[in-house]
Amino acid sequence: MIIMKFGGTSVANCEAITRAIDIIKGRLDEKPIVVVSALSKVTDLLYKLSDAAAAKNRIEVENLLEQLRTRHIALANELMANNSELCRAACSKVNAICDSLSNFVSAVCALGELSDRSKAVIISNGEYLSSNIICCALNARGIVTSYIDARSIIITSKDFLKGEPVNEEIIRRTPEIVSDAFNGADTVITQGFVSATPDGEPTVLGRGGSDYSASLIGMAVDAKRIEIWTDVDGVRTADPRRVKNTKCLDKISFEEAAEMAHFGAKVLHPLTIEPAVKKNIPLFVLNSMNPEGKGTAILQSSFIEDGVKSISCKENINVINIFSTKMINVSGFLKKVFEIFSENKVSVDLISTSEANISVTVDSGQNIDKVVKQLSEFADVIVDNDKSQISVIGKNIINLNGMLKNTFAPLRDCKIYMISQGASYVNISFVVDRSVLNPVMQEIHHYLFETEPGK
Ligand code: ADP
Ligand code: ASP
Ligand code: MG
């Protein structure tokens, strides 16, 4: 069995889905489990819809619901123009999903209150719409396709908007459900992103979570490989939307991919690698618009050479500086500080300490008000906004002569607020002003990947 995950742009419209179906068709002898995202931009629309409902903005709610229904009905008609029966089936699924969403959102609107649980229900609908339409479209092309509701296999904690997978349950349930679904079928389709608690309460895995779904399913069925089909030729030396002249990487290690994703490379959800590593399943990042391309293989470290592979960044982070003379010689101070982060579920990226100071970076999307308030009870706290974090990633980069010189040479004229090197020797990260992020990324890329090493 293999897993084939198609992201939003790879199922954006009739043309993209037709391409995806051709790719799936070429792999039927490997028993593909297809995992799909919502059509491009649909999850954003659903987030807007939940905000509009919470704000009791009925006009906006109606408008968004109408856009959602119209786009999916038009897509079903276009995809299945030659098969009226399956076209009707797909349209009636779309209408049923949109009707039930509309009722649900009306109730939220009436209350003007949106719980995390309700939000999880609303934002899951994009994947239900896309997977139902694509299931019918595959069948319409003669590929016998079964449908699995991801809520029956991807089991998580009750953190409704960022469910933590319960691996034992996923491994216990998935193989049997998948093998039943394959009975008489060429392929099986399910939703990315969507999950549920053991009692069936709806949850989701968080933004970009379809990659994670693919890898969890791969782990549960011992897949031969996991293919992540997206809109770039593979993992590159930097985000091509931010940096010019990036190059595609043939192969990188699990550790390098995990660090890249964790430190901001959107090409993979940060937790995607973990389940694959558990079973040593190779991952491939491939371009659905160029299916002949080799893409990038993500493999065990022993197959990967030392060297710098990529630069990632997080554009908008906060640096929290904690000053206290009590830190000196008082064991337990660090514990107290990090307990406050943990109690408030604020996750920390980089940490550096000096005699009377701790600096940490956190994603700006997190609410740090309570953390700052609690820390201020026993320390002076200064928060620096408008900062960006840059990470240079590669196996054993610590051993590379000239690497540090090449990384830091372009930084001559700009302030560096923090530097941190992970104990794994896979990454060096530092913090700069957000205003210089793009030129600095471009310069470092130039020094590391566009000139001869050591020059
Ligand atoms: P999908 O909808 O298929 O999940 P995403 O938009 O989530 O696609 O991820 C693909 C995007 O990741 C690319 O379009 C690219 O802009 C971005 N990206 C960030 N860093 C990298 C990188 N190092 N290599 C390739 N793509 C990257
Ligand atoms: N549709 C979800 C999102 O846009 C999940 C995904 O595409 O990975 O975040
Ligand atoms: Mg993605």
Side-chain angles (χ1 to χ4, degrees):
M1 255 178 241
I2 60 167
I3 314 296
M4 302 179 76
K5 177 259 169 176
F6 292 90
T9 42
S10 303
V11 294
N13 49 36
C14 179
E15 202 188 332
I17 293 174
T18 308
R19 248 186 335 248
I21 291 177
D22 285 340
I23 298 170
I24 296 166
K25 205 171 187 172
R27 283 159 162 73
L28 293 183
D29 54 347
E30 297 189 279
K31 293 182 87 178
I33 301 175
V34 177
V35 177
V36 288
S37 289
L39 312 189
S40 162
K41 305 275 185 300
V42 164
T43 310
D44 294 342
L45 182 151
L46 293 168
Y47 271 87
K48 272 198 217 146
L49 178 65
S50 45
D51 290 345
K56 297 188 167 211
N57 185 344
R58 285 180 194 276
I59 296 174
E60 172 81 344
V61 163
E62 286 311 318
N63 174 17
L64 292 168
L65 282 170
E66 185 54 32
Q67 282 179 40
L68 190 72
R69 194 187 298 259
T70 312
R71 179 166 171 199
H72 287 90
I73 291 284
L75 174 67
N77 281 316
E78 202 181 346
L79 268 170
M80 280 157 283
N82 297 329
N83 189 322
S84 54
E85 196 186 325
L86 281 163
C87 183
R88 259 198 313 277
C91 288
S92 89
K93 280 282 181 201
V94 170
N95 280 322
I97 293 169
C98 289
D99 289 348
S100 132
L101 175 63
S102 170
N103 290 336
F104 190 88
V105 171
S106 289
V108 175
C109 241
L111 287 170
E113 236 178 60
L114 180 72
S115 64
D116 283 356
R117 186 187 182 284
S118 300
K119 192 165 181 171
V121 173
I122 296 173
I123 60 182
S124 307
N125 280 280
E127 272 71 11
Y128 280 111
L129 286 162
S130 64
S131 57
N132 273 288
I133 294 176
I134 297 169
C135 183
C136 291
L138 281 157
N139 280 307
R141 281 158 181 74
I143 302 169
V144 183
T145 307
S146 293
Y147 173 94
I148 293 179
D149 186 335
R151 285 188 190 139
S152 65
I153 54 177
I154 304 294
I155 306 304
T156 71
S157 64
K158 256 186 147 180
D159 300 292
F160 293 104
L161 298 176
K162 213 173 183 186
E164 265 186 46
V166 185
N167 283 348
E168 313 80 72
E169 263 310 291
I170 297 173
I171 290 170
R172 191 178 70 76
R173 294 181 186 211
T174 309
E176 194 180 329
I177 292 178
V178 166
S179 120
D180 288 351
F182 261 114
N183 192 5
D186 299 317
T187 182
V188 167
I189 191 167
T190 191
Q191 308 77 35
F193 182 57
V194 170
S195 48
T197 66
D199 305 332
E201 285 195 83
T203 61
V204 292
L205 296 176
R207 284 315 301 260
S210 297
D211 303 325
Y212 197 17
S213 307
S215 143
L216 287 164
I217 298 171
M219 168 193 75
V221 301
D222 280 319
K224 193 166 120 203
R225 64 175 188 282
I226 298 163
E227 297 181 347
I228 305 291
W229 290 89
T230 183
D231 60 356
V232 274
D233 271 334
V235 178
R236 306 186 69 88
T237 47
D239 184 347
R241 289 188 208 184
R242 192 181 289 282
V243 174
K244 286 184 288 186
N245 308 325
T246 61
K247 298 178 183 115
C248 192
L249 299 159
D250 286 345
K251 53 183 181 178
I252 54 172
S253 69
F254 287 132
E255 291 77 13
E256 288 169 332
E259 293 275 325
M260 283 175 65
H262 182 74
F263 286 100
K266 196 191 163 211
V267 65
L268 286 174
H269 180 279
L271 298 173
T272 309
I273 302 300
E274 207 180 277
V277 169
K278 283 204 169 72
K279 295 276 180 79
N280 191 17
I281 304 171
L283 274 131
F284 292 82
V285 176
L286 298 151
N287 188 349
S288 64
M289 279 165 272
N290 176 24
E292 304 306 322
K294 284 204 334 252
T296 302
I298 305 176
L299 308 168
Q300 245 184 5
S301 184
S302 53
F303 296 108
I304 306 299
E305 285 170 13
D306 286 359
V308 185
K309 304 294 164 35
S310 189
I311 324 168
S312 357
C313 67
K314 290 193 176 179
E315 176 162 355
N316 195 4
I317 57 142
N318 294 322
V319 181
I320 307 179
N321 298 295
I322 306 151
F323 302 88
S324 174
T325 45
K326 291 188 195 126
M327 181 171 159
I328 305 165
N329 295 334
V330 179
S331 63
F333 183 83
L334 284 174
K335 179 166 176 267
K336 195 166 162 189
V337 166
F338 288 109
E339 263 169 10
I340 291 177
F341 282 94
S342 153
E343 279 159 19
N344 290 289
K345 295 206 162 170
V346 171
S347 62
V348 164
D349 269 343
L350 307 182
I351 304 166
S352 76
T353 65
S354 66
E355 195 188 13
N357 161 255
I358 307 174
S359 298
V360 303
T361 66
V362 298
D363 267 349
S364 65
Q366 305 185 89
N367 186 342
I368 54 169
D369 295 350
K370 279 195 192 148
V371 167
V372 172
K373 188 161 170 268
Q374 288 172 23
L375 290 172
S376 302
E377 285 167 14
F378 59 91
D380 293 328
V381 182
I382 298 176
V383 179
D384 285 334
N385 302 316
D386 285 329
K387 298 284 174 277
S388 299
Q389 182 173 310
I390 299 178
S391 304
V392 177
I393 289 147
K395 186 179 165 191
N396 280 325
I397 45 176
I398 190 157
N399 295 334
L400 302 172
N401 286 340
M403 200 286 302
L404 275 179
K405 186 184 116 206
N406 286 349
T407 303
F408 289 107
L411 295 171
R412 259 185 314 258
D413 302 326
C414 90
K415 280 192 191 149
I416 301 177
Y417 294 86
M418 252 176 96
I419 301 182
S420 163
Q421 188 194 306
S424 58
Y425 302 155
V426 178
N427 105 58
I428 293 180
S429 297
F430 47 92
V431 174
V432 297
D433 282 313
R434 191 173 171 185
S435 55
V436 299
L437 173 66
N438 284 345
V440 166
M441 286 283 285
Q442 191 67 62
E443 277 275 296
I444 297 179
H445 189 271
H446 176 78
Y447 271 84
L448 289 177
F449 300 109
E450 299 169 47
T451 53
E452 290 292 311
K455 283 201 184 151

